[in-house]
Amino acid sequence: MLKHALFVIVGIITAGLFFPADSVIPVENAKCYDWNPKTFWYEPWGTSGVHKGIDIFAKENTPLLAATDGVVVFATEFAKSGLVIGIVGPKWRLHYYAHLNGMVVKPGDWVDQGEVIGLVGKTGNAAGKPAHVHYSVMTPLPYPWRITTETQGWKKMFYLNPADAFTECG
């Protein structure tokens, strides 16, 4: 029985690696010019040192969309990030959305690509700045060839530039 359960678990994990990882811009009506492409891995970036995602600017309370299909693993609040949502999607990648004004999903929810999951805001350390969503994509499987000598360059093997997967900007 244990051998069978282990086989099923390994099968599920392996299968997850083969789902296509394309994504859509996670802000309703956003275009490919609504963020600065040079901000991914930009430094210096406040107390975090390096900006490990992109900030997509929009009017406050614009609907936030799921960039991919996936399972909500957290919907909570962090001091720096404000209201945040984490979704595990294809290839077991974590899609992280921060600075939200509101959330309409909860942990355990399945979301479809393009489904409304929250609202763009300026919570956490984005208070007093233009409304935006900080969007990051992290991979549990390291890409060691991405390591650089930049500040925190070893972490680059776990962070992907989310804009590279947007089907609209291809």
Side-chain angles (χ1 to χ4, degrees):
M1 185 62 146
L2 180 60
K3 193 186 263 188
H4 177 68
L6 185 59
F7 179 75
V8 170
I9 291 169
V10 169
I12 290 170
I13 290 171
T14 304
L17 296 173
F18 293 100
F19 286 103
D22 66 320
S23 58
V24 297
I25 301 172
V27 175
E28 187 174 84
N29 297 320
K31 304 294 180 226
C32 301
Y33 51 79
D34 287 329
W35 66 91
N36 182 338
K38 294 180 182 176
T39 59
F40 177 74
W41 220 264
Y42 182 83
E43 67 171 308
W45 200 270
T47 57
S48 61
V50 176
H51 195 243
K52 299 169 187 79
I54 59 174
D55 292 340
I56 304 170
F57 294 89
K59 207 171 161 183
E60 195 165 3
N61 295 317
T62 298
L64 175 69
L65 312 174
T68 64
D69 296 339
V71 175
V72 177
V73 291
F74 58 85
T76 190
E77 186 169 7
F78 297 137
K80 287 184 184 179
S81 303
L83 296 177
V84 298
I85 295 172
I87 297 174
V88 172
K91 303 191 183 309
W92 301 108
R93 292 177 180 163
L94 178 68
H95 297 259
Y96 179 81
Y97 310 84
H99 307 307
L100 313 179
N101 264 5
M103 303 178 286
V104 297
V105 294
K106 62 186 180 317
D109 286 352
W110 174 264
V111 296
D112 295 319
Q113 185 179 61
E115 180 179 334
V116 175
I117 58 172
L119 301 171
V120 173
K122 44 188 173 180
T123 59
N125 63 6
K129 298 174 183 158
H132 67 279
V133 61
H134 171 87
Y135 178 52
S136 292
V137 178
M138 293 159 264
T139 176
L141 300 174
Y143 291 55
W145 56 89
R146 294 182 37 96
I147 296 172
T148 68
T149 57
E150 297 168 280
T151 301
Q152 299 180 27
W154 69 272
K155 291 182 181 179
K156 247 183 163 175
M157 69 178 151
F158 296 106
Y159 286 87
L160 306 175
N161 184 343
D164 289 346
F166 292 155
T167 55
E168 306 95 328
C169 303

